[in-house]
Amino acid sequence: MAPPKNAEVVFSPDVKNMDEWAKRTRMSLTTADALGATYARAHPWFEHLRSQLVHEHKWRDVSPRDSRMLFTLENASIWSSSSGLPAGPPLKLQLPVHASSFFSPDRRVQWQMVFHSDTFESVRKICPPIADILFLLQCLLTGLVTVVFEEHIPGKGIYRTTRGLPSAAWVIENQTALVRIFGPERFKDLHRACADTQSAYSLQVLPFR
């Protein structure tokens, strides 16, 4: 029997999965154009987080700039050898200008490499702007990026808990910015869903592998 895994970030651009989250949260999955417009309204916040990463957390912009990307950043690995040198590949973080890029089959591997990397696996736990990027994406495109935790229960199976939304406390803390992006009515729906365990989380019980 494999040991239980720590919580991991999972990128899934499956529209069917997002539709299931829309039903769970009771927040309708709007049209692709509407999702894209909402994502575009979040650009200033994403840019603010990029600035925080550069000026406060030693990330750096990658040159030359890719016009398809809102930004592309790099940083040294958080792991180091006994000699003090980085013990892993450089960290990378990028977001697209258009939300549709997340759903392009040609870019699926690219986004998996971003969200399944150490940036979101480990760095988000010690770097608030990375966590904020994750939480904002969960609000914008619920179900696209989730946090999954597996617990092995003897005699029962594998309990897989998936969190699709940030905490209600985070939503309230960032209410002004979120209302600007979503509008007051959608914000109320978002806060309600984040405050409801049945909406914000999904539980599956799987047989032992």
Side-chain angles (χ1 to χ4, degrees), residues 24-145:
R24 173 176 292 278
T25 60
R26 289 177 287 142
M27 293 192 299
S28 59
L29 187 61
T30 56
T31 65
D33 287 345
L35 287 173
T38 305
Y39 180 83
R41 287 197 295 273
H43 280 193
W45 193 351
F46 283 131
E47 289 285 6
H48 173 68
L49 294 171
R50 181 206 69 82
S51 180
Q52 283 186 314
L53 288 168
V54 170
H55 295 104
E56 300 174 23
H57 299 276
K58 299 181 180 180
W59 288 73
R60 58 186 176 277
D61 290 298
V62 173
S63 296
R65 183 178 180 277
D66 185 339
S67 61
R68 297 167 298 182
M69 296 296 126
L70 192 60
F71 58 75
T72 301
L73 301 176
E74 279 189 352
N75 201 352
S77 171
I78 61 172
W79 311 112
S80 59
S81 65
S82 57
S83 61
L85 297 174
L91 300 171
K92 188 172 185 178
L93 173 63
Q94 57 185 173
L95 289 177
V97 172
H98 302 293
S100 58
S101 177
F102 289 127
F103 305 97
S104 169
D106 294 339
R107 295 192 174 276
R108 184 179 184 123
V109 173
Q110 174 185 357
W111 296 119
Q112 285 176 334
M113 291 177 67
V114 170
F115 292 108
H116 296 173
S117 71
D118 217 19
T119 300
F120 283 92
E121 180 72 18
S122 301
V123 178
R124 69 178 172 85
K125 300 172 185 175
I126 59 175
C127 183
I130 300 292
D132 285 343
I133 288 172
L134 172 65
F135 297 152
L136 181 51
L137 285 172
Q138 287 185 320
C139 295
L140 292 165
L141 302 161
T142 306
L144 180 76
V145 187

Side-chain angles (χ1 to χ4, degrees), residues 1-14:
M1 186 188 305
K5 295 181 178 179
N6 292 323
E8 61 181 354
V9 174
V10 175
F11 170 77
S12 174
D14 183 357

Side-chain angles (χ1 to χ4, degrees), residues 176-191:
T176 301
L178 289 169
V179 169
R180 189 178 302 121
I181 293 169
F182 292 101
E185 292 305 315
R186 185 74 171 185
F187 173 81
K188 289 179 183 177
D189 290 340
L190 177 64
H191 178 254

